[in-house]
Amino acid sequence: MGQHYNHLSAEERGAIMVGKARGDSARQLAMLLGRSPSTISRELARNGHREPSGSPRLGRPTLGYDACRAGHRARRLAHQARRPRKLHRESALWRLVRYLLARRWSPQEVSRTLRRQHPEEPAKHVSHETIYTAIYAAPRGELRRGLVALLRQHKCARRPRGQGANRR
């Protein structure tokens, strides 16, 4: 077990399925596979394994771990965005942010104003970093130049701050 995480392979998922059918615990499976116990328990929780509890007569589901279904689900979820972006090009929030930037407001001022105007609506709260990311993530060309021109300093790229003695 090192510092880097590798996704579970099909063989590892198959070993988990066989081990759970045998009745092995997540900790035993982790030792067998050379993985962290938390990796195995998260995989079991994420992909539908529930320990048999109670009797089948009570109508409680007793699902086993299915390696094939878990692999398909993991691949499908890997291609989905974690959370939709707040500032996408067609949203009303983006139009409002662009309007305020065009009036020479800084991204920090826009962020604070949105929080003040909509205290009960977190969907309309945008950090200044989100605004900068939306501007600098735009593709190169006329659209990006127009967005950068809305900023006060008109810098075409963000640069990391200096480290140590060079930091100002």
Side-chain angles (χ1 to χ4, degrees):
M1 290 183 275
Q3 293 288 329
H4 300 286
Y5 174 77
N6 295 320
H7 294 282
L8 291 171
S9 67
E11 292 80 18
E12 288 174 318
R13 284 193 171 96
I16 292 172
M17 186 170 77
V18 170
K20 286 313 283 183
R22 265 195 325 244
D24 293 348
S25 69
R27 202 167 278 283
Q28 290 170 326
L29 290 170
M31 285 180 54
L32 175 75
L33 296 173
R35 293 289 195 145
S36 168
S38 63
T39 300
I40 305 302
S41 61
R42 273 195 311 266
E43 175 69 14
L44 292 171
R46 185 180 297 131
N47 289 309
H49 177 79
R50 282 188 243 154
E51 294 292 335
S53 60
S55 77
R57 289 179 289 129
L58 297 175
R60 290 197 176 124
T62 56
L63 298 175
Y65 179 81
D66 183 5
C68 185
R69 187 178 64 217
H72 287 304
R73 184 173 186 274
R75 281 188 296 280
R76 180 175 44 84
L77 291 177
H79 293 292
Q80 290 179 352
R82 297 282 192 264
R83 188 182 327 154
R85 296 183 185 269
K86 280 189 173 181
L87 289 180
H88 56 85
R89 300 284 175 235
E90 295 82 33
S91 71
L93 185 58
W94 175 244
R95 285 191 296 274
L96 176 59
V97 167
R98 282 193 59 169
Y99 171 75
L100 294 174
L101 289 173
R103 296 187 67 197
R104 294 289 172 221
W105 288 31
S106 71
Q108 288 84 352
E109 290 171 332
V110 172
S111 174
R112 281 191 305 246
T113 300
L114 289 174
R115 282 186 186 275
R116 222 178 355 249
Q117 287 179 348
H118 308 283
E120 300 298 321
E121 298 179 69
K124 292 189 178 180
H125 297 178
V126 178
S127 73
H128 66 281
E129 276 300 319
T130 303
I131 296 171
Y132 279 119
T133 302
I135 290 171
Y136 287 112
R140 300 212 179 269
E142 192 60 39
L143 173 65
R144 182 176 178 146
R145 276 193 292 276
L147 291 173
V148 171
L150 296 176
L151 297 175
R152 288 179 178 172
Q153 294 189 5
H154 311 294
K155 301 219 178 194
C156 59
R158 297 185 82 182
R159 291 189 173 80
R161 292 178 58 175
Q163 298 297 317
N166 295 337
R167 189 180 207 158
R168 290 188 176 90

